Amino acid sequence: MEQGLGAAPGWATRSNQTLMTEFVLQGFSELPRLRLPLFGCFFSLYTVALTGNAVIIAVVSHSASLQSPMYFFLCNLAAMDIVCTSSVLPKALAGLAFEENTISFPGCMAQLFFLTWSASSELLLLTAMAYDRYVAICRPLHYSSRMSPRLCRSLAVGVWAVCALNGSLHAGLMTQLSFCGPNVIAHFFCEIPPLLLLSCSPTLVNSIMTVLADAFYGVVNFLLTLLSYGCIVASILRMRSAAGRQRAFSTCSSHLLVVSVYYSAVFCAYISPASSYSPERSKVSAVLYTMLSPTLNPIVYSLRNTEVKHALGRLVQALLCHGARGLPP
């Protein structure tokens, strides 16, 4: 796209029409005194999220005791957490540290794709993990056949592929819109509602696809997760042994906590029409599901899971022994 003569920075002309070449992320400009504390907080969350989820992937991949469907899906969830937080945090940190708030149009669409891909994938993975817990607790005799390694791999590939298609669809539809007015996005990253508010062309198709995606990923998956846990709770209450009830509940308590935090943030951010979009509310919700949730997930699953803690201890011990053998005498 060639820069037109006399066009302002961030704009270009093509066929006598002014087009957008870059956006400005509003970020947290309304809180200038908190810019440094926010940078420190977000940088810490990003570091912990990357480290924690990478450790989860390493532990699950190298521990024979964790080769089960629950930990397979947990490994996929950790990978998507890394994609989610890495699609948002680097640009947000640059804006806080250097006031570098501009983002090119292709960069904005790429960020929109990766965020939509990872966020929708996490919702489907949480539903798959809830179904896994349902089969393990309510149908234990059929667990091996219903949650076979082949089925789990197929589910994971399907989740990644379907959600990549969803992200491509939303990003592709967004590129068909014209942006010829203000170019300031009332957020600290590119997402669908504030971008639709900036468009000067009809956004009906985009809005319909957004509502359909929200209904499927948010409402349908949430109801399926509730159904799974309703059956789990009913099955636990029918157990005669108190020790059995406690053991059964401990296997799904971590996942239930993660689901509660993530869905709360997603509902606040997305389950509302674009016309009622609130930048302040959306920013707070976005911090929860793009920063806090990816940071808490590995902590919750490691601290509340004895198997993960034991596997982590064995992995650290093996690394230390390997390092000691590599030292010169």
Side-chain angles (χ1 to χ4, degrees), residues 35-88:
R35 185 166 292 165
L36 185 59
L38 285 174
F39 175 85
C41 179
F42 292 169
F43 181 78
S44 300
L45 289 174
Y46 188 42
T47 303
V48 174
L50 288 182
T51 305
N53 286 290
V55 167
I56 288 290
I57 295 174
V59 169
V60 173
S61 302
H62 293 85
S63 300
S65 61
L66 300 182
Q67 301 306 307
S68 67
M70 180 175 70
Y71 298 111
F72 172 76
F73 288 124
L74 176 59
C75 193
N76 279 268
L77 183 67
M80 271 305 167
D81 277 337
I82 292 176
V83 174
C84 179
T85 192
S86 296
S87 66
V88 172

Side-chain angles (χ1 to χ4, degrees), residues 109-110 112-113 166-176:
M109 295 302 103
L112 174 65
F113 165 76
N166 176 57
S168 300
L169 180 62
H170 285 290
L173 288 173
M174 196 66 69
T175 61
Q176 302 304 307

Side-chain angles (χ1 to χ4, degrees), residues 80-81 83-89 107-123 163 166-167 170-171 187-193 262 270 282 286 289-291 294:
M80 271 305 167
D81 277 337
V83 174
C84 179
T85 192
S86 296
S87 66
V88 172
L89 263 295
C108 186
M109 295 302 103
Q111 189 179 65
L112 174 65
F113 165 76
F114 282 107
L115 181 65
T116 305
W117 180 36
S118 58
S120 55
S121 295
E122 291 206 31
L123 291 172
C163 295
N166 176 57
H170 285 290
H187 214 302
F188 60 91
F189 60 84
C190 294
E191 70 165 356
I192 296 172
Y262 198 79
Y270 291 110
S282 184
Y289 73 83
T290 63
M291 304 182 200

Side-chain angles (χ1 to χ4, degrees), residues 49-287:
L50 288 182
T51 305
N53 286 290
V55 167
I56 288 290
I57 295 174
V59 169
V60 173
S61 302
H62 293 85
S63 300
S65 61
L66 300 182
Q67 301 306 307
S68 67
M70 180 175 70
Y71 298 111
F72 172 76
F73 288 124
L74 176 59
C75 193
N76 279 268
L77 183 67
M80 271 305 167
D81 277 337
I82 292 176
V83 174
C84 179
T85 192
S86 296
S87 66
V88 172
L89 263 295
K91 187 62 182 177
L93 290 173
L96 290 170
F98 310 111
E99 299 186 27
E100 181 57 46
N101 295 320
T102 59
I103 183 170
S104 66
F105 187 87
C108 186
M109 295 302 103
Q111 189 179 65
L112 174 65
F113 165 76
F114 282 107
L115 181 65
T116 305
W117 180 36
S118 58
S120 55
S121 295
E122 291 206 31
L123 291 172
L124 288 186
L125 285 171
L126 290 175
T127 303
M129 294 171 75
Y131 177 72
D132 170 73
R133 291 300 83 206
Y134 158 76
V135 177
I137 294 174
C138 302
R139 299 289 186 271
L141 298 179
H142 301 90
Y143 185 75
S144 298
S145 59
R146 288 198 180 187
M147 301 302 296
S148 64
R150 181 178 180 180
L151 175 62
C152 292
R153 287 193 296 268
S154 299
L155 282 175
V157 171
V159 166
W160 287 63
V162 168
C163 295
L165 179 62
N166 176 57
S168 300
L169 180 62
H170 285 290
L173 288 173
M174 196 66 69
T175 61
Q176 302 304 307
L177 299 179
S178 298
F179 296 91
C180 48
N183 66 338
V184 179
I185 300 175
H187 214 302
F188 60 91
F189 60 84
C190 294
E191 70 165 356
I192 296 172
L195 281 170
L196 293 182
L197 294 177
L198 294 180
S199 175
C200 55
S201 58
T203 60
L204 179 61
V205 175
N206 301 71
S207 298
I208 291 175
M209 294 306 300
T210 301
V211 171
L212 291 176
D214 289 346
F216 173 70
Y217 288 103
V219 179
V220 173
N221 279 276
F222 179 68
L223 293 177
L224 290 175
T225 303
L226 278 184
L227 179 62
S228 296
Y229 274 100
C231 295
I232 289 172
V233 170
S235 179
I236 291 176
L237 293 178
R238 287 196 299 266
M239 294 180 180
R240 297 180 180 180
S241 169
R245 288 196 296 270
Q246 183 177 1
R247 184 169 58 254
F249 181 74
S250 66
T251 63
C252 58
S253 58
S254 298
H255 181 253
L256 186 58
L257 178 61
V258 168
V259 166
S260 300
V261 173
Y262 198 79
Y263 270 102
S264 298
V266 168
F267 282 156
C268 290
Y270 291 110
I271 307 302
S272 61
S275 58
S276 62
Y277 176 76
S278 170
E280 292 75 17
R281 184 189 66 186
S282 184
K283 289 178 186 179
V284 173
S285 302
V287 168

